[in-house]
Amino acid sequence: MYSVLKPIIFLFSPEQAHRITMWCLDFVVSFGVGRRFLQYFFGYSHPRLQHEVMGVIFPNPVGLAAGFDKDAKHVVGLSALGFGFIEVGTVTPVPQIGSPQPRLFRLPADEALINRMGFNNEGLDALVGRLKTLRDTKPSSTLIIGGNIGKNKDTPNDKAVDDYAKCFIALFPWVDYFVVNVSSPNTPNLRALQEKEPLTHLLKHLQSLNVSHTKHKPILLKIAPDLTQEQLDDIADIVTETKLSGIIATNTTISRAHLNTSLTQIESIGAGGLSGKPLHLRSVEVVHYMRHKLGKEAVIIGVGGIDSAETAQQMMDAGANLIQLYTGFIYRGPILVKQILAKIS
């Protein structure tokens, strides 16, 4: 069915297509029979798929990566498509409109995307309000939701801890785990926070907030695929030192190597993070390396170029406890979740 609809959807700009498809999804799940139809058609359950990770019971290990539903507007509909968990955000304390449009580009020849969205979101208060409503409604009572947190564009790096802390405190009652995003290439100087000293300071502060609660929440660090081996070694040391639950590997890449899309088109698009099929090999390499460095106890969520049951299995074989989809979901459609679950069950 998606193979028929995709050429029509791709006639629209990526952001227009997203709005249209999410409106249609929300409309279908607004009817009980519609939600049940989607769950029947796209859902896949098996006792072996249930994973307890970080003290959280995931109905299955395939999640939706952050960025797809930044403001938690479509969680109920997306959960009906078979995902075991959904990560919302990246959220910032104050709403921001993000980068000027156009800022999201398809590379069909590579089954990839380039984005420079710039943490566009409606802000922390709006997200908290929606998540509170979700948690109070029966259809979403068992949803596993991650909260991906960031800093506002105009917040200087030496004040970034305050932004992350605000997000952490406000979201704490409403999410099952946290992701600290310091690896997006689309917020100026954000990746500088991946350096050892500022990152250790940030994570220690969040952990101090975490341990002030009777029941702690898992905190993961999302890392870039463009880090050197020495930087990955530093990340492993920091994760161990700050007692983080683990990492998400990886975010989008600034590399443009080995693309089928013409250089002229790539240059016309300009800056942004690349996701999709070309990222897969590097993401798997990072997951494999970090599993070796962190040992078996740390949690790794693998994301990057997963577009089939085979690439999902490769990521899990490399050491990922859980996996996430984004660009592959756009190119392959919602049936991808079911195909992966059937393969790994």
Side-chain angles (χ1 to χ4, degrees):
M1 181 170 62
Y2 188 72
S3 61
V4 175
L5 293 175
K6 189 172 81 168
I8 300 171
I9 295 170
F10 276 33
L11 290 174
F12 297 91
S13 74
E15 288 196 67
Q16 287 176 322
H18 183 78
R19 287 192 294 269
I20 292 168
T21 53
M22 289 301 98
W23 183 91
C24 293
L25 178 63
D26 291 342
F27 178 76
V28 171
V29 299
S30 66
F31 303 96
V33 66
R35 185 167 58 249
R36 288 190 295 272
F37 170 79
L38 291 178
Q39 290 170 334
Y40 173 79
F41 194 80
F42 295 111
Y44 188 92
S45 61
H46 193 285
R48 286 199 298 267
L49 290 170
Q50 189 176 93
H51 282 52
E52 182 173 352
V53 181
M54 307 179 292
V56 178
I57 298 176
F58 291 78
N60 71 64
V62 180
L64 182 64
F68 198 92
D69 189 15
K70 296 172 185 286
D71 298 304
K73 292 181 176 180
H74 316 291
V75 172
V76 174
L78 290 166
S79 67
L81 300 179
F83 289 106
F85 61 107
I86 292 171
E87 194 171 304
V88 298
T90 299
V91 65
T92 56
V94 179
Q96 53 185 37
I97 60 174
S99 305
Q101 297 189 39
R103 55 194 179 181
L104 181 60
F105 308 88
R106 299 186 192 98
L107 277 58
D110 294 286
E111 296 191 13
L113 298 173
I114 291 176
N115 93 82
R116 51 171 177 269
M117 302 299 289
F119 283 178
N120 59 308
N121 72 104
E122 295 181 1
L124 186 57
D125 290 344
L127 181 61
V128 168
R130 289 197 185 94
L131 291 178
K132 184 178 186 300
T133 300
L134 279 167
R135 294 305 195 187
D136 290 340
T137 58
K138 188 174 181 181
S140 58
S141 59
T142 59
L143 288 175
I144 304 301
I145 298 175
N148 188 300
I149 58 177
K151 78 172 189 72
N152 281 109
K153 180 181 179 179
D154 57 0
T155 300
N157 278 5
D158 61 356
K159 301 292 185 184
V161 171
D162 297 336
D163 277 14
Y164 286 94
K166 288 175 186 175
C167 293
F168 185 86
I169 292 167
L171 285 174
F172 193 92
W174 313 115
V175 300
D176 298 288
Y177 68 90
F178 283 93
V179 179
V180 179
N181 188 352
V182 292
S183 53
S184 170
N186 300 315
T187 295
N189 300 317
L190 181 72
R191 286 190 170 190
L193 292 175
Q194 293 180 116
E195 296 300 323
K196 195 164 190 176
E197 184 176 345
L199 183 56
T200 302
H201 174 61
L202 168 61
L203 297 177
K204 282 186 173 180
H205 184 69
L206 293 180
Q207 284 289 45
S208 72
L209 297 173
N210 200 16
V211 300
S212 68
H213 293 81
T214 303
K215 185 177 181 182
H216 308 164
K217 293 285 174 76
I219 302 177
L220 301 162
L221 175 68
K222 190 163 188 176
I223 65 174
D226 308 306
L227 298 173
T228 65
Q229 182 173 317
E230 291 74 19
Q231 289 172 316
L232 290 175
D233 291 342
D234 284 344
I235 293 290
D237 291 342
I238 292 167
V239 168
T240 302
E241 179 184 349
T242 58
K243 297 181 172 61
L244 248 60
S245 295
I247 62 167
I248 296 185
T250 63
N251 213 320
T252 58
T253 179
I254 58 175
S255 172
R256 299 294 187 265
H258 310 300
L259 295 179
N260 296 314
T261 304
S262 71
L263 180 60
T264 301
Q265 184 178 347
I266 295 298
E267 290 176 344
S268 71
I269 290 172
L274 176 76
S275 63
K277 187 185 286 290
L279 181 58
H280 181 66
L281 179 59
R282 177 56 181 166
S283 295
V284 169
E285 288 176 347
V286 172
V287 168
H288 184 267
Y289 186 79
M290 294 303 284
R291 174 55 69 205
H292 172 73
K293 294 295 295 185
L294 292 170
K296 64 180 182 179
E297 297 302 322
V299 172
I300 299 179
I301 300 180
V303 56
I306 299 174
D307 61 358
S308 65
E310 290 70 29
T311 51
Q313 189 65 61
Q314 290 167 12
M315 188 69 80
M316 300 191 81
D317 290 344
N321 304 87
L322 306 167
I323 60 174
Q324 290 179 326
L325 309 180
Y326 190 110
T327 305
F329 179 63
I330 292 171
Y331 277 95
R332 302 296 185 183
I335 198 64
L336 176 61
V337 181
K338 189 172 187 176
Q339 291 171 341
I340 293 172
L341 294 176
K343 171 76 172 180
I344 65 178
S345 62

